[in-house]
């Protein structure tokens, strides 16, 4: 698909060839060679791969999405969809509090979000069909209908697809990558047949650490800058030895992306987008001086700077003993784990949502907060497998909630949406979505819609050359848009 077929509002209905569809064997071999030994790609290497894959100069959609991922799945009953009239083996121990929306209650774990519910859409009727973490993540983030867990994704996730499609738009190269992950959710997802060139530029570590730095960003040492420029010059001279390789403009694209990499390495404005020290102390305190708070603050900075897609996982030690939201009784006492992480989570999410509205970014930036599924409405009890934050000593019988796909909640904010509403409902026990049921296709179509992509008309060729829809079934959730 070329630039003239990709409009701001929607996409041409013709199949879009994947980035390797017209590749020669030499290009495939070169791309494979670029991956050898790369446990994690540096930005210049990633951009070089994209150029070899034929990616055109990236331009911004004018819109951004921040996906805040809860790996393992958040208990909807204990947060956004309480069931105070259910029996004690369902409802849990938390009280209910009123929100900014009349007649709508959250649990008392998230009072800050309750106070800004008028800036959110609470979608209480999500469902999917894949009960395992790998398949559940693949189903929600890529639309894969297979309910079996697989070692790697068959279909590219929406982040990679969005990045690929937006990269086809004409325009001058931008210094910042179009898709950035801050501790991103890539364990069970990825670009699949689009190729690793469309993976995120990943930032790992704790942005709340005073010594945290993003590597390969904003070099200031003039000697190092000079060495980088000389390397680029040498590469260009080598390229002239065999222009027969440049069958479809790969070397021209390579030049553009090498320039983009150099800009990211040397441009002080690029460095500023990642530099949290430029935020005033009050803002950093408002998000929370911890990994989650500073991840969401960095996500806002990157979206404000024009990055199309930012993903970030709320995982690690702030989750509790097993570092995720997978609150089986063997992992955590679900209620102690939720209490352990609730204050940090509530503060960071509230700060992000308030910030984008106060800065006038609520039309540009869409925030979506979700996990791959919810947790069982009925409480289970099993012996703990180990002591730690949110978990009693090994052998202690404690409550937990297991995987649940039939009805769960996700949160939306910004994006020019009609906020201040609850969409859909689960039944009286929180087991099944019974009003305005929304599946993975609806979820994906809504995200694409914000980026100006009409998912009903876009097909990308897979490894076998088959045109594959980016959303097989589903359409944007009308109540949100």
């Amino acid at each position: 698909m070329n630039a003239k077929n990709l409009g701001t509002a929607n996409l041409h209905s013709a199949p879009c060839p994947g980035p390797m569809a017209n590749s020669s064997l030499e290009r495939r071999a070169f791309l494979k060679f670029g991956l050898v030994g790369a446990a994690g790609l540096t930005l210049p290497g990633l951009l070089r791969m994209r150029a070899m894959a034929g990616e055109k100069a990236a331009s911004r959609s004018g819109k951004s999405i921040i996906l805040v991922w809860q790996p393992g799945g958040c208990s909807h009953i204990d947060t956004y969809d309480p069931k105070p009239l259910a029996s004690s083996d369902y409802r849990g121990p938390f009280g209910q509090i009123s929100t900014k929306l009349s007649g709508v209650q959250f649990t008392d774990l998230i009072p800050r979000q309750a106070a800004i519910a008028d800036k959110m859409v609470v979608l209480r009727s999500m469902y999917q069909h894949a009960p395992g973490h790998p398949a559940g993540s693949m189903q929600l983030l890529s639309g894969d209908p297979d309910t079996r867990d697989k070692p790697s994704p068959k279909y590219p996730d929406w982040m990679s697809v969005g990045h690929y499609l937006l990269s086809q738009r004409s325009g001058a190269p931008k210094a910042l990558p179009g898709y950035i992950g801050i501790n991103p959710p890539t364990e069970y997802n990825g670009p699949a047949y689009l190729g690793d060139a469309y993976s995120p530029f990943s930032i790992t570590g704790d942005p709340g650490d005073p010594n945290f730095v993003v590597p390969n960003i904003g070099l200031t040492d003039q000697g190092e800058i000079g060495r980088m420029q000389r390397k680029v010059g040498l590469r260009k001279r080598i390229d002239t030895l065999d222009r027969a390789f440049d069958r479809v403009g790969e070397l021209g694209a390579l030049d553009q992306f090498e320039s983009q990499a150099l800009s990211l390495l040397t441009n002080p404005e690029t460095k500023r987008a990642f530099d949290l020290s430029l935020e005033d102390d009050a803002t950093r305190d408002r998000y929370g001086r911890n990994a989650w708070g500073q991840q969401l603050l960095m996500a806002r900075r990157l979206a404000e700077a024009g990055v199309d897609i930012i993903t970030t996982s709320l995982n690690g030690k702030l989750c509790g003993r097993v570092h995720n939201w997978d609150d089986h009784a063997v992992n955590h006492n679900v209620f102690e784990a939720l209490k352990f992480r609730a204050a940090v989570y509530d503060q960071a999410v509230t700060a992000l949502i308030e910030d984008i509205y106060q800065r006038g970014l609520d039309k540009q930036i869409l925030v979506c907060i979700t996990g791959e599924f919810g947790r069982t409405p009925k409480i289970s009890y099993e012996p703990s497998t180990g002591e730690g934050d949110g978990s009693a000593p090994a052998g202690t019988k404690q409550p937990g909630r297991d995987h649940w796909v039939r009805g769960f909640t996700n949160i939306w904010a910004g994006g020019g949406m009609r906020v201040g509403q609850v969409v859909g409902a689960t039944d009286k026990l929180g087991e099944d979505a019974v009003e305005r049921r929304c599946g993975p296709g609806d979820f994906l179509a809504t995200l694409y819609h914000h980026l100006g992509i009409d998912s009903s008309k876009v097909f990308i060729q897979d490894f076998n050359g088959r045109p594959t829809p980016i959303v097989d079934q589903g359409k944007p959730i009308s109540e949100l848009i």
Side-chain angles (χ1 to χ4, degrees):
M1 180 171 295
N2 58 34
K4 71 179 182 179
N5 288 333
L6 181 55
T8 301
N10 55 50
L11 295 167
H12 196 274
S13 59
C16 179
M20 299 299 288
N22 297 316
S23 299
S24 66
L25 291 176
E26 292 92 338
R27 283 175 62 198
R28 290 178 185 271
F30 197 95
L31 184 59
K32 184 176 181 181
F33 175 79
L35 285 170
V36 173
L41 293 172
T42 62
L43 185 74
L46 181 60
L47 295 175
R48 183 175 296 110
M49 287 173 58
R50 289 175 183 161
M52 303 310 293
E55 181 178 337
K56 296 180 178 63
S59 66
R60 298 294 170 246
S61 66
K63 300 291 182 69
S64 298
I65 296 177
I66 299 173
L67 174 68
V68 182
W69 188 247
Q70 300 161 313
C74 176
S75 168
H76 54 294
I77 283 183
D78 295 309
T79 52
Y80 302 103
D81 191 11
K83 301 295 180 181
L85 300 181
S87 59
S88 59
D89 53 339
Y90 280 82
R91 69 173 179 262
F94 304 116
Q96 289 73 50
I97 55 173
S98 297
T99 71
K100 197 72 177 287
L101 302 178
S102 177
V104 176
Q105 292 187 320
F106 293 167
T107 73
D108 54 15
L109 283 179
I110 46 174
R112 294 173 187 247
Q113 290 179 65
I116 62 158
D118 59 327
K119 295 180 173 62
M120 302 159 56
V121 177
V122 183
L123 180 60
R124 285 177 168 171
S125 54
M126 275 300 302
Y127 74 93
Q128 50 117 323
H129 300 291
H133 295 297
S137 299
M138 293 173 197
Q139 187 159 126
L140 193 65
L141 295 182
S142 71
D144 187 347
D146 193 353
T147 60
R148 299 169 298 175
D149 289 337
K150 297 187 288 289
S152 60
K154 180 179 179 181
Y155 300 100
D157 57 42
W158 73 265
M159 301 88 78
S160 301
V161 171
H163 180 41
Y164 167 65
L165 293 173
L166 294 177
S167 76
Q168 306 306 297
R169 295 180 176 176
S170 60
K174 301 296 182 179
L176 286 167
Y179 173 23
I180 295 178
I182 309 167
N183 295 319
T186 55
E187 185 177 6
Y188 304 121
N189 296 284
Y193 49 74
L194 290 179
D196 285 341
Y198 294 94
S199 296
F201 173 56
S202 293
I203 300 165
T204 59
D206 178 0
D209 187 329
N211 298 317
F212 175 81
V213 293
V214 179
N216 296 330
I217 299 294
L219 296 175
T220 56
D221 183 273
Q222 292 302 311
E224 183 63 24
I225 292 172
R227 283 191 291 275
M228 288 294 302
Q229 292 170 336
R230 287 193 294 274
K231 287 180 181 179
V232 172
L234 175 61
R235 195 272 304 157
K236 289 180 178 177
R237 289 194 294 275
I238 292 173
D239 287 344
T240 63
L241 296 177
D242 186 7
R243 280 285 169 176
F245 177 78
D246 193 18
R247 290 188 178 88
V248 287
E250 291 95 338
L251 294 179
L254 180 57
D255 291 339
Q256 291 175 333
F257 283 99
E258 196 80 72
S259 297
Q260 184 186 354
L262 275 176
S263 178
L264 188 54
L265 285 166
T266 62
N267 187 331
E269 290 305 310
T270 331
K271 183 179 180 181
R272 288 176 63 87
F274 294 89
D275 191 352
L276 296 181
S277 70
L278 297 177
E279 297 286 338
D280 59 62
D281 287 341
T283 299
R284 298 196 69 177
D285 292 342
R286 178 183 179 190
Y287 277 80
R289 297 281 188 149
N290 53 67
W292 292 359
Q294 301 306 293
Q295 283 176 209
L296 297 196
L297 177 54
M298 182 178 287
R300 189 270 290 162
R301 287 185 64 83
L302 293 172
E304 193 172 21
V307 176
D308 301 307
I309 298 164
I310 303 103
T311 60
T312 187
S313 289
L314 302 186
N315 57 5
K317 62 184 180 181
L318 291 174
C319 267
R321 181 175 74 95
V322 299
H323 289 198
N324 56 43
W325 297 65
D326 195 26
D327 292 331
H328 301 284
V330 295
N331 290 339
H332 290 139
N333 176 322
V334 58
F335 306 122
E336 292 301 318
L338 286 167
K339 284 192 291 185
F340 178 79
R341 67 181 73 112
V344 172
Y345 168 71
D346 193 32
Q347 179 179 359
V349 166
T350 301
L352 174 63
I353 293 172
E354 285 186 319
D355 213 5
I356 65 171
Y357 279 91
Q358 291 174 359
R359 290 172 175 268
L361 301 170
D362 52 291
K363 302 293 191 296
Q364 171 192 339
I365 300 173
L366 171 64
V367 175
C368 180
I369 305 164
T370 190
E372 61 267 41
F373 38 55
R375 311 301 301 183
T376 50
K378 190 170 185 179
I379 303 164
S380 60
Y381 292 86
E382 297 289 343
S384 167
T385 56
E387 185 175 10
D389 293 324
S391 181
T396 305
K397 195 172 184 179
Q398 61 185 10
R401 296 192 190 271
D402 303 317
H403 303 178
W404 194 253
V405 300
R406 287 159 41 188
F408 60 100
T409 298
N410 49 42
I411 299 300
W412 305 72
M417 293 185 303
R418 295 197 295 253
V419 295
Q421 60 170 329
V422 173
V423 175
T426 55
D427 61 26
K428 63 182 181 180
L429 295 177
E431 291 183 327
D432 289 284
V434 293
E435 294 179 14
R436 188 54 172 104
R437 287 163 50 82
C438 296
D442 307 309
F443 174 83
L444 296 170
T446 304
L447 293 167
Y448 285 129
H449 180 273
H450 179 69
L451 296 175
I453 297 169
D454 185 345
S455 58
S456 68
K457 298 180 179 179
V458 182
F459 297 75
I460 297 176
Q461 290 183 9
D462 64 14
F463 282 126
N464 297 313
R466 292 187 298 254
T468 303
I470 62 172
V471 173
D472 192 16
Q473 295 183 14
K475 52 188 178 181
I477 301 167
S478 58
E479 292 89 341
L480 275 64
I481 62 175

